[in-house]
Amino acid sequence: MSPFPSQFIVDAFTDQLFAGNPAAVCLQPLSEALMQRVAQENNLSETAFLTKTGDGYALRWFTPAGEIDLCGHATLAAAHVVLTQLEPGRQQVTFHTCSGPLPVQKRGDRYEMDFPAYTLSPVPVTEAMAAAFGARPTAAYLGRDLLCVFDREETVGGLTPDQEALRGLEGLLQHATARGRAADCVSRSFAPKCGVPEDPVCGSGHCHIFPYWARVLGKDTLVAWQASPRGGTLYGTLEGDRVKLSGKAVIFAATTFFLPGASPMDLSQKP
């Protein structure tokens, strides 16, 4: 049998190549140290590592700088690989993660993920925030990440933040958001603490962004546009303390690792 790829590169939250957010999905069992080195070598905002466990998969996410607790676009990419390449007859997969079980359901041409919503606490808008973003937010909130709200869509799209100054702000990532015109909201996500200047489309960030706008707009189902240079569309429904987050995905490439003492997965070993 021919070897199965060690890794896929998937553009998530888009149905077009070279848009959305690219993530690597690694299928080859690796030590934690090698996971980190592979993530550094990929130099993408996230590399997802999958291991078959019963009827689901263990899933871990690494940025070039280290492991994180939740990642939306790499989970979407992993689900696309599982449900189109590994087990194309299935419509649902559950990932077992450090944030708990994350089920993903294929619904038409979208993948719907069930994620925890972050609790947001209001924090004062500071001069440090204004200096870091290059514009003054009208409000700020803290969950895992810092969420800064701006009054105009154009302000968010035109931000050229100071990456070192962003490092000095609270939160693992720093998100800028505003009410949108074509979409309910627009946003951009910056992650210098994770070695990623700008995350092109951030799923876990929308576990902050969707709960905020659901409350402000008085609606539970929203469409968001991530206004990075690549751009991407996210669909969200707030259900209590959970966010049903969905989007599309397309595979860009399949690659094989050449690592000492490691061999790629065989098709005969595929689930």
Side-chain angles (χ1 to χ4, degrees):
M1 302 289 286
S2 61
F4 202 67
S6 304
Q7 176 177 270
F8 288 90
I9 307 295
V10 181
D11 289 338
F13 292 115
T14 182
D15 58 1
Q16 300 179 34
L17 289 175
F18 313 120
N21 200 351
V25 181
C26 178
L27 309 177
Q28 189 166 325
L30 300 173
S31 67
E32 187 168 301
L34 267 179
M35 289 182 191
Q36 187 60 67
R37 294 188 71 177
V38 167
Q40 290 171 335
E41 186 77 7
N42 286 332
N43 200 31
L44 298 170
S45 60
E46 307 289 346
T47 297
F49 294 88
L50 283 178
T51 305
K52 190 79 172 84
T53 56
D55 64 349
Y57 292 80
L59 176 62
R60 299 174 70 176
W61 309 278
F62 283 75
T63 76
E67 187 171 12
I68 63 168
D69 66 332
L70 188 65
C71 176
H73 84 278
T75 302
L76 175 59
H80 185 61
V81 168
V82 170
L83 299 179
T84 65
Q85 304 298 310
L86 300 183
E87 303 186 64
R90 292 182 62 170
Q91 296 294 307
Q92 190 269 347
V93 61
T94 296
F95 296 116
H96 303 284
T97 79
C98 63
S99 292
L102 299 178
V104 183
Q105 180 76 39
K106 193 172 188 298
R107 299 190 186 279
D109 59 354
R110 297 184 200 167
Y111 298 90
E112 182 183 82
M113 302 173 286
D114 186 344
F115 275 13
Y118 285 102
T119 299
L120 299 176
S121 299
V123 294
V125 172
T126 65
E127 292 303 321
M129 292 176 190
F133 282 104
R136 187 176 185 83
T138 58
Y141 299 84
L142 188 63
R144 181 198 69 178
D145 305 338
L146 178 67
L147 177 64
C148 287
V149 182
F150 293 85
D151 57 359
R152 297 175 65 244
E153 180 177 340
E154 291 78 9
T155 301
V156 172
L159 292 174
T160 56
D162 181 325
Q163 295 289 325
E164 285 305 310
L166 286 178
R167 285 179 181 271
L169 300 181
E170 293 184 280
L172 180 64
L173 283 75
Q174 292 77 42
H175 307 287
T177 189
R179 187 166 183 171
R181 288 189 295 272
D184 291 301
C185 57
V186 299
S187 64
R188 290 175 67 194
S189 299
F190 306 98
K193 295 178 185 179
C194 299
V196 180
E198 181 167 4
D199 197 12
V201 189
C202 187
S204 64
H206 280 77
C207 294
H208 302 71
I209 295 165
F210 277 137
Y212 171 79
W213 286 110
R215 177 178 60 81
V216 170
L217 299 177
K219 55 193 295 189
D220 292 333
T221 298
L222 304 99
V223 179
W225 172 251
Q226 190 107 39
S228 68
R230 291 177 65 100
T233 302
L234 307 94
Y235 306 86
T237 300
L238 196 66
E239 296 184 356
D241 61 355
R242 309 290 295 182
V243 177
K244 295 289 183 71
L245 185 67
S246 65
K248 303 175 184 179
V250 59
I251 291 175
F252 166 63
T255 60
T256 299
F257 291 161
F258 291 87
L259 298 173
S263 58
M265 182 189 298
D266 288 336
L267 287 174
S268 59
Q269 298 172 333
K270 194 172 60 165

